[in-house]
Amino acid sequence: MGVLSKGEVKAYAVKPSEKGLTAGRWAMVIDTRVCRKHEPCEECIHACHHLHNVPQIPYKKHEIKWIWKDEFEHAFPDTAHEYANEVLKDREFLLLCNHCEHPPCVRVCPTKATFKREDGIVMMDMHRCIGCRFCMAACPYGSRSFNWRDPRPFIKNPNPSYPTRMKGVVEKCTFCTERLAEGKLPACVEACKHGAIIVGDLADPHSEINKILREYFTLRRKVHLGTGPSVFYII
Amino acid sequence: MLEKALVGSKKYYALVFFLAAVFLVGFFFFLKQLKFGLGITGMSRDVSWGFYVAQFTYLVGVAASAVMVVLPYYLHNYKDYGKLTIFGEFLAIGAVTMCLLFIVVDIGQTHRLFNVLLHPTPNSMLFYDMIVLNGYLLLNLICGWTALHAIYKGTKYPDWVKPFIYLSIPWAFSIHTVTAFLYAGLPGRHFWLTAVMAPRFLASAFCSGPALLLLLIYIVKTFTRFDPGEKAIKALAKTITYALLANLFLFGCELFTAFYSGIPSHQFSIKYLFAGLHGHMKLVPWMWTAYALMLIAAVLFVIPKTRNNLGLLPLLCILVVIGTWIDKGMGLIIGGFIPNPLERITEYMPTFPEVMISVGIYAAGFLIITVLYKIAISVMESRGLI
Ligand code: SF4
Ligand code: SF4
């Protein structure tokens, strides 16, 4: 019963499923060496964008993306330098929301439409978002996209089991909360046949992901800003 | 008193109808924006705030600057500002109204605006901005209106407004400080991430606002018998001088920190604005114009002969208004987004509908100011004060 007094029940909007995957703090490791070996490969990006009805808008300024690839000097602008070796220079890095431990986007949102869950996932309520775009100004990773126009005409092959968005709201990677709740791994993890993406519980010292982090040298993006990204890159 | 707004000269009617018509044109484009979405503007994934937010920022400064006449009059009993304070307060009312309208048109889901009230979020600076802006509007309505009503009745303003007047003074500082905090607390935006952001905002506000007020007063003076008096005008010109110098000084501080420290990320936006970055230089001519105008104005304001030349003063005020407007209404907000967090460059220019919507909002604001000024003049005339 805990803190609830007599007669109170803990209410859930959706009853958590028995088989749902849970964690104290979700995190992701991307093995960029594996990605490099299989370039050009965009399986994870296609899987995510198809599953979540992310529109393919050709006009660059109105682009919407949840996960994409970019070069080292853009992914890690403050770590890149002109003497970096060739391998680093032409390797492409998967970029997505870092589900920060101290997310500036959550701090600035005036409606709590962007919020952090207990398991560390930074979520969006697209029905509450007023489209002020304060979160886009606050995110130091460019992880967020705004629907500058109705996105529906740009979804070629809509997935009926996931909602589409309307114009005027912000969206981004959700760490596939809808899949975790059903006991499935995030779409990008599942889509990568080469096992380049691993997710797990950072809060559990015995978790697989913590073992990997202890073993390999990893980078996180812009750690000096104090945001505490939960996405790690094996170089 | 409101009836005074309804009767006036042909010129007054013409101005009112002209402003109303421009507002309607803007409104028409706003309806188009509602239909299509904010994609009708020049904003993008990388430059996610543009002209609207920049105008909002500039006008918060204009609104705050009313304090530059209210403070000397009420706190230091500086009698020469007696007739001017009401005009300052009414300018503030028009400016805050424009600010609120610029927020409304910038929101992606306009009808959800009240979610800010439904889900109050005290960790967001926008929450405080909403409180201070609406509070400031209310304070100026109370103070300006009761002061004018007192003149109308031929009495002194009632004692109960005094606390509101005193409150409006720190409140004016708060609106522009909180507005600066919208930007100055964002971790990845180096151009904005500076402690002098709020002081710089206040400095630019306290020169641009009074300059705009002086210009409006000159217009009023041309068409009516109203005259604030040479002393008041010269005193306000001094305020503009100090604030303009402070504004330029604080910008110099920014330059020093960015370039003496040599940290590239602190320099990118400044370089983009003044020299261009990787061949992208859309804002360069604008920024040089802004700083040239402000520098020329600063020199002419400092020299007593030119500052006290009442024929030249409106021209100097125009230099200040244009210079600060480009600096804040174009450079400051847009510059903060370039380059983007991944150090890629997407440039920005407002589109035609975007400019028309903005012009419409300005027309609405100046319509409010026109009507309020008209009432004030008529009341003063009826009392034989002018
Ligand atoms: S990466 Fe950006 S959007 Fe994602 S949690 Fe961090 S600040 Fe928020
Ligand atoms: S755009 Fe939406 S999610 Fe982002 S800060 Fe505004 S209300 Fe919050």
PDB file of all heavy atoms in Angstrom, chain A residues 105 108-114 124-125 128-136 144 146 168-170, chain B residues 126, ligand 2:
ATOM      1  N   CYS A 105      14.988  19.962 -22.253  1.00  0.00           N
ATOM      2  CA  CYS A 105      13.689  20.078 -22.931  1.00  0.00           C
ATOM      3  C   CYS A 105      12.550  19.983 -21.930  1.00  0.00           C
ATOM      4  O   CYS A 105      11.555  20.681 -22.035  1.00  0.00           O
ATOM      5  CB  CYS A 105      13.563  18.979 -23.994  1.00  0.00           C
ATOM      6  SG  CYS A 105      13.807  17.321 -23.352  1.00  0.00           S
ATOM      7  N   VAL A 108      12.222  23.255 -19.760  1.00  0.00           N
ATOM      8  CA  VAL A 108      11.645  24.472 -20.337  1.00  0.00           C
ATOM      9  C   VAL A 108      10.183  24.317 -20.770  1.00  0.00           C
ATOM     10  O   VAL A 108       9.499  25.322 -20.967  1.00  0.00           O
ATOM     11  CB  VAL A 108      12.464  24.967 -21.553  1.00  0.00           C
ATOM     12  CG1 VAL A 108      13.886  25.242 -21.154  1.00  0.00           C
ATOM     13  CG2 VAL A 108      12.377  23.995 -22.713  1.00  0.00           C
ATOM     14  N   CYS A 109       9.704  23.101 -20.940  1.00  0.00           N
ATOM     15  CA  CYS A 109       8.349  22.921 -21.495  1.00  0.00           C
ATOM     16  C   CYS A 109       7.302  23.542 -20.571  1.00  0.00           C
ATOM     17  O   CYS A 109       7.232  23.195 -19.395  1.00  0.00           O
ATOM     18  CB  CYS A 109       8.046  21.438 -21.705  1.00  0.00           C
ATOM     19  SG  CYS A 109       6.353  21.176 -22.281  1.00  0.00           S
ATOM     20  N   PRO A 110       6.487  24.474 -21.089  1.00  0.00           N
ATOM     21  CA  PRO A 110       5.543  25.188 -20.215  1.00  0.00           C
ATOM     22  C   PRO A 110       4.257  24.424 -19.916  1.00  0.00           C
ATOM     23  O   PRO A 110       3.415  24.925 -19.186  1.00  0.00           O
ATOM     24  CB  PRO A 110       5.224  26.452 -21.025  1.00  0.00           C
ATOM     25  CG  PRO A 110       5.377  26.038 -22.438  1.00  0.00           C
ATOM     26  CD  PRO A 110       6.446  24.981 -22.470  1.00  0.00           C
ATOM     27  N   THR A 111       4.102  23.230 -20.486  1.00  0.00           N
ATOM     28  CA  THR A 111       2.839  22.508 -20.279  1.00  0.00           C
ATOM     29  C   THR A 111       3.043  21.084 -19.761  1.00  0.00           C
ATOM     30  O   THR A 111       2.076  20.339 -19.637  1.00  0.00           O
ATOM     31  CB  THR A 111       2.059  22.399 -21.609  1.00  0.00           C
ATOM     32  OG1 THR A 111       2.856  21.650 -22.525  1.00  0.00           O
ATOM     33  CG2 THR A 111       1.757  23.768 -22.194  1.00  0.00           C
ATOM     34  N   LYS A 112       4.266  20.696 -19.502  1.00  0.00           N
ATOM     35  CA  LYS A 112       4.614  19.321 -19.139  1.00  0.00           C
ATOM     36  C   LYS A 112       4.252  18.343 -20.266  1.00  0.00           C
ATOM     37  O   LYS A 112       4.044  17.154 -20.031  1.00  0.00           O
ATOM     38  CB  LYS A 112       3.929  18.864 -17.848  1.00  0.00           C
ATOM     39  CG  LYS A 112       4.227  19.740 -16.644  1.00  0.00           C
ATOM     40  CD  LYS A 112       3.675  19.086 -15.373  1.00  0.00           C
ATOM     41  CE  LYS A 112       3.672  20.059 -14.214  1.00  0.00           C
ATOM     42  NZ  LYS A 112       2.489  20.940 -14.237  1.00  0.00           N
ATOM     43  N   ALA A 113       4.156  18.849 -21.492  1.00  0.00           N
ATOM     44  CA  ALA A 113       3.913  17.954 -22.618  1.00  0.00           C
ATOM     45  C   ALA A 113       5.140  17.090 -22.850  1.00  0.00           C
ATOM     46  O   ALA A 113       5.048  15.975 -23.350  1.00  0.00           O
ATOM     47  CB  ALA A 113       3.596  18.754 -23.877  1.00  0.00           C
ATOM     48  N   THR A 114       6.318  17.617 -22.506  1.00  0.00           N
ATOM     49  CA  THR A 114       7.535  16.815 -22.494  1.00  0.00           C
ATOM     50  C   THR A 114       7.845  16.511 -21.044  1.00  0.00           C
ATOM     51  O   THR A 114       7.891  17.420 -20.226  1.00  0.00           O
ATOM     52  CB  THR A 114       8.691  17.597 -23.127  1.00  0.00           C
ATOM     53  OG1 THR A 114       8.470  17.701 -24.528  1.00  0.00           O
ATOM     54  CG2 THR A 114      10.014  16.903 -22.901  1.00  0.00           C
ATOM     55  N   MET A 124       6.814  12.376 -24.759  1.00  0.00           N
ATOM     56  CA  MET A 124       6.046  13.504 -25.278  1.00  0.00           C
ATOM     57  C   MET A 124       4.560  13.184 -25.225  1.00  0.00           C
ATOM     58  O   MET A 124       4.164  12.090 -25.586  1.00  0.00           O
ATOM     59  CB  MET A 124       6.389  13.723 -26.755  1.00  0.00           C
ATOM     60  CG  MET A 124       7.719  14.311 -27.057  1.00  0.00           C
ATOM     61  SD  MET A 124       7.697  16.098 -27.170  1.00  0.00           S
ATOM     62  CE  MET A 124       6.065  16.555 -27.674  1.00  0.00           C
ATOM     63  N   ASP A 125       3.777  14.128 -24.803  1.00  0.00           N
ATOM     64  CA  ASP A 125       2.334  14.029 -24.954  1.00  0.00           C
ATOM     65  C   ASP A 125       1.950  14.960 -26.092  1.00  0.00           C
ATOM     66  O   ASP A 125       1.863  16.172 -25.905  1.00  0.00           O
ATOM     67  CB  ASP A 125       1.630  14.428 -23.652  1.00  0.00           C
ATOM     68  CG  ASP A 125       0.119  14.345 -23.769  1.00  0.00           C
ATOM     69  OD1 ASP A 125      -0.386  14.223 -24.907  1.00  0.00           O
ATOM     70  OD2 ASP A 125      -0.560  14.392 -22.730  1.00  0.00           O
ATOM     71  N   ARG A 128      -0.974  17.350 -25.746  1.00  0.00           N
ATOM     72  CA  ARG A 128      -0.902  18.481 -24.839  1.00  0.00           C
ATOM     73  C   ARG A 128       0.012  19.579 -25.390  1.00  0.00           C
ATOM     74  O   ARG A 128      -0.130  20.748 -25.045  1.00  0.00           O
ATOM     75  CB  ARG A 128      -0.390  18.015 -23.481  1.00  0.00           C
ATOM     76  CG  ARG A 128      -0.466  19.116 -22.461  1.00  0.00           C
ATOM     77  CD  ARG A 128       0.132  18.725 -21.139  1.00  0.00           C
ATOM     78  NE  ARG A 128      -0.765  17.881 -20.369  1.00  0.00           N
ATOM     79  CZ  ARG A 128      -0.571  17.606 -19.087  1.00  0.00           C
ATOM     80  NH1 ARG A 128       0.457  18.135 -18.448  1.00  0.00           N
ATOM     81  NH2 ARG A 128      -1.392  16.821 -18.448  1.00  0.00           N
ATOM     82  N   CYS A 129       0.947  19.179 -26.226  1.00  0.00           N
ATOM     83  CA  CYS A 129       1.942  20.110 -26.764  1.00  0.00           C
ATOM     84  C   CYS A 129       1.271  21.291 -27.466  1.00  0.00           C
ATOM     85  O   CYS A 129       0.395  21.105 -28.301  1.00  0.00           O
ATOM     86  CB  CYS A 129       2.844  19.352 -27.735  1.00  0.00           C
ATOM     87  SG  CYS A 129       3.944  20.397 -28.661  1.00  0.00           S
ATOM     88  N   ILE A 130       1.684  22.506 -27.118  1.00  0.00           N
ATOM     89  CA  ILE A 130       1.092  23.684 -27.752  1.00  0.00           C
ATOM     90  C   ILE A 130       1.917  24.147 -28.950  1.00  0.00           C
ATOM     91  O   ILE A 130       1.568  25.102 -29.628  1.00  0.00           O
ATOM     92  CB  ILE A 130       0.939  24.852 -26.760  1.00  0.00           C
ATOM     93  CG1 ILE A 130       2.304  25.270 -26.175  1.00  0.00           C
ATOM     94  CG2 ILE A 130      -0.021  24.489 -25.644  1.00  0.00           C
ATOM     95  CD1 ILE A 130       2.247  26.549 -25.359  1.00  0.00           C
ATOM     96  N   GLY A 131       3.062  23.510 -29.170  1.00  0.00           N
ATOM     97  CA  GLY A 131       3.885  23.870 -30.326  1.00  0.00           C
ATOM     98  C   GLY A 131       4.656  25.167 -30.146  1.00  0.00           C
ATOM     99  O   GLY A 131       4.901  25.881 -31.115  1.00  0.00           O
ATOM    100  N   CYS A 132       5.070  25.446 -28.906  1.00  0.00           N
ATOM    101  CA  CYS A 132       5.820  26.693 -28.679  1.00  0.00           C
ATOM    102  C   CYS A 132       7.279  26.536 -29.111  1.00  0.00           C
ATOM    103  O   CYS A 132       7.982  27.521 -29.289  1.00  0.00           O
ATOM    104  CB  CYS A 132       5.744  27.096 -27.215  1.00  0.00           C
ATOM    105  SG  CYS A 132       6.596  25.967 -26.107  1.00  0.00           S
ATOM    106  N   ARG A 133       7.760  25.295 -29.205  1.00  0.00           N
ATOM    107  CA  ARG A 133       9.103  24.975 -29.693  1.00  0.00           C
ATOM    108  C   ARG A 133      10.213  25.429 -28.748  1.00  0.00           C
ATOM    109  O   ARG A 133      11.365  25.548 -29.142  1.00  0.00           O
ATOM    110  CB  ARG A 133       9.334  25.520 -31.107  1.00  0.00           C
ATOM    111  CG  ARG A 133       8.213  25.148 -32.046  1.00  0.00           C
ATOM    112  CD  ARG A 133       8.445  25.522 -33.452  1.00  0.00           C
ATOM    113  NE  ARG A 133       8.568  26.939 -33.677  1.00  0.00           N
ATOM    114  CZ  ARG A 133       7.592  27.819 -33.520  1.00  0.00           C
ATOM    115  NH1 ARG A 133       6.411  27.438 -33.092  1.00  0.00           N
ATOM    116  NH2 ARG A 133       7.797  29.092 -33.771  1.00  0.00           N
ATOM    117  N   PHE A 134       9.840  25.679 -27.494  1.00  0.00           N
ATOM    118  CA  PHE A 134      10.851  26.027 -26.504  1.00  0.00           C
ATOM    119  C   PHE A 134      11.810  24.843 -26.336  1.00  0.00           C
ATOM    120  O   PHE A 134      13.025  25.013 -26.200  1.00  0.00           O
ATOM    121  CB  PHE A 134      10.151  26.348 -25.176  1.00  0.00           C
ATOM    122  CG  PHE A 134      10.916  27.260 -24.273  1.00  0.00           C
ATOM    123  CD1 PHE A 134      10.341  27.708 -23.092  1.00  0.00           C
ATOM    124  CD2 PHE A 134      12.201  27.686 -24.586  1.00  0.00           C
ATOM    125  CE1 PHE A 134      11.028  28.559 -22.243  1.00  0.00           C
ATOM    126  CE2 PHE A 134      12.895  28.529 -23.739  1.00  0.00           C
ATOM    127  CZ  PHE A 134      12.308  28.964 -22.567  1.00  0.00           C
ATOM    128  N   CYS A 135      11.255  23.626 -26.378  1.00  0.00           N
ATOM    129  CA  CYS A 135      12.061  22.425 -26.200  1.00  0.00           C
ATOM    130  C   CYS A 135      13.095  22.277 -27.316  1.00  0.00           C
ATOM    131  O   CYS A 135      14.188  21.772 -27.091  1.00  0.00           O
ATOM    132  CB  CYS A 135      11.161  21.205 -26.159  1.00  0.00           C
ATOM    133  SG  CYS A 135      10.033  21.107 -27.561  1.00  0.00           S
ATOM    134  N   MET A 136      12.733  22.742 -28.521  1.00  0.00           N
ATOM    135  CA  MET A 136      13.683  22.637 -29.649  1.00  0.00           C
ATOM    136  C   MET A 136      14.858  23.588 -29.429  1.00  0.00           C
ATOM    137  O   MET A 136      15.997  23.287 -29.781  1.00  0.00           O
ATOM    138  CB  MET A 136      12.990  22.964 -30.955  1.00  0.00           C
ATOM    139  CG  MET A 136      11.941  21.945 -31.346  1.00  0.00           C
ATOM    140  SD  MET A 136      11.105  22.411 -32.858  1.00  0.00           S
ATOM    141  CE  MET A 136      12.278  21.868 -34.083  1.00  0.00           C
ATOM    142  N   ARG A 144      14.898  17.147 -31.836  1.00  0.00           N
ATOM    143  CA  ARG A 144      13.450  17.344 -31.940  1.00  0.00           C
ATOM    144  C   ARG A 144      13.033  17.917 -33.286  1.00  0.00           C
ATOM    145  O   ARG A 144      13.752  18.699 -33.874  1.00  0.00           O
ATOM    146  CB  ARG A 144      12.991  18.290 -30.830  1.00  0.00           C
ATOM    147  CG  ARG A 144      13.224  17.686 -29.474  1.00  0.00           C
ATOM    148  CD  ARG A 144      12.827  18.606 -28.349  1.00  0.00           C
ATOM    149  NE  ARG A 144      12.590  17.812 -27.173  1.00  0.00           N
ATOM    150  CZ  ARG A 144      11.378  17.464 -26.761  1.00  0.00           C
ATOM    151  NH1 ARG A 144      10.313  17.889 -27.400  1.00  0.00           N
ATOM    152  NH2 ARG A 144      11.240  16.697 -25.710  1.00  0.00           N
ATOM    153  N   PHE A 146       9.621  19.563 -35.554  1.00  0.00           N
ATOM    154  CA  PHE A 146       8.306  20.213 -35.442  1.00  0.00           C
ATOM    155  C   PHE A 146       7.509  19.949 -36.707  1.00  0.00           C
ATOM    156  O   PHE A 146       8.065  19.902 -37.808  1.00  0.00           O
ATOM    157  CB  PHE A 146       8.522  21.726 -35.256  1.00  0.00           C
ATOM    158  CG  PHE A 146       7.246  22.515 -35.099  1.00  0.00           C
ATOM    159  CD1 PHE A 146       6.497  22.428 -33.931  1.00  0.00           C
ATOM    160  CD2 PHE A 146       6.810  23.359 -36.104  1.00  0.00           C
ATOM    161  CE1 PHE A 146       5.335  23.162 -33.780  1.00  0.00           C
ATOM    162  CE2 PHE A 146       5.636  24.101 -35.956  1.00  0.00           C
ATOM    163  CZ  PHE A 146       4.902  24.007 -34.790  1.00  0.00           C
ATOM    164  N   GLY A 168       1.736  21.392 -36.136  1.00  0.00           N
ATOM    165  CA  GLY A 168       1.846  22.274 -34.973  1.00  0.00           C
ATOM    166  C   GLY A 168       2.302  21.633 -33.684  1.00  0.00           C
ATOM    167  O   GLY A 168       2.207  22.252 -32.636  1.00  0.00           O
ATOM    168  N   VAL A 169       2.758  20.375 -33.718  1.00  0.00           N
ATOM    169  CA  VAL A 169       3.300  19.787 -32.495  1.00  0.00           C
ATOM    170  C   VAL A 169       4.731  19.281 -32.737  1.00  0.00           C
ATOM    171  O   VAL A 169       5.132  19.054 -33.865  1.00  0.00           O
ATOM    172  CB  VAL A 169       2.438  18.621 -31.954  1.00  0.00           C
ATOM    173  CG1 VAL A 169       1.067  19.119 -31.548  1.00  0.00           C
ATOM    174  CG2 VAL A 169       2.344  17.510 -32.975  1.00  0.00           C
ATOM    175  N   VAL A 170       5.450  19.113 -31.634  1.00  0.00           N
ATOM    176  CA  VAL A 170       6.832  18.646 -31.697  1.00  0.00           C
ATOM    177  C   VAL A 170       6.851  17.140 -31.484  1.00  0.00           C
ATOM    178  O   VAL A 170       5.986  16.594 -30.789  1.00  0.00           O
ATOM    179  CB  VAL A 170       7.669  19.374 -30.626  1.00  0.00           C
ATOM    180  CG1 VAL A 170       9.014  18.699 -30.419  1.00  0.00           C
ATOM    181  CG2 VAL A 170       7.878  20.833 -31.024  1.00  0.00           C
TER     182      VAL A 170
ATOM    183  N   LEU B 126       8.751  30.235 -19.439  1.00  0.00           N
ATOM    184  CA  LEU B 126       7.581  30.754 -20.138  1.00  0.00           C
ATOM    185  C   LEU B 126       6.414  30.962 -19.173  1.00  0.00           C
ATOM    186  O   LEU B 126       5.593  31.857 -19.358  1.00  0.00           O
ATOM    187  CB  LEU B 126       7.183  29.780 -21.259  1.00  0.00           C
ATOM    188  CG  LEU B 126       6.696  30.394 -22.553  1.00  0.00           C
ATOM    189  CD1 LEU B 126       7.683  31.397 -23.095  1.00  0.00           C
ATOM    190  CD2 LEU B 126       6.438  29.312 -23.583  1.00  0.00           C
TER     191      LEU B 126
HETATM  192  S1  SF4 C   2       6.655  22.608 -28.195  1.00  0.00           S
HETATM  193 FE1  SF4 C   2       5.358  21.250 -26.990  1.00  0.00          FE
HETATM  194  S2  SF4 C   2       6.731  19.841 -25.968  1.00  0.00           S
HETATM  195 FE2  SF4 C   2       7.963  21.536 -26.736  1.00  0.00          FE
HETATM  196  S3  SF4 C   2       8.121  22.959 -25.025  1.00  0.00           S
HETATM  197 FE3  SF4 C   2       6.367  23.627 -26.237  1.00  0.00          FE
HETATM  198  S4  SF4 C   2       4.606  22.581 -25.339  1.00  0.00           S
HETATM  199 FE4  SF4 C   2       6.448  21.542 -24.565  1.00  0.00          FE
END
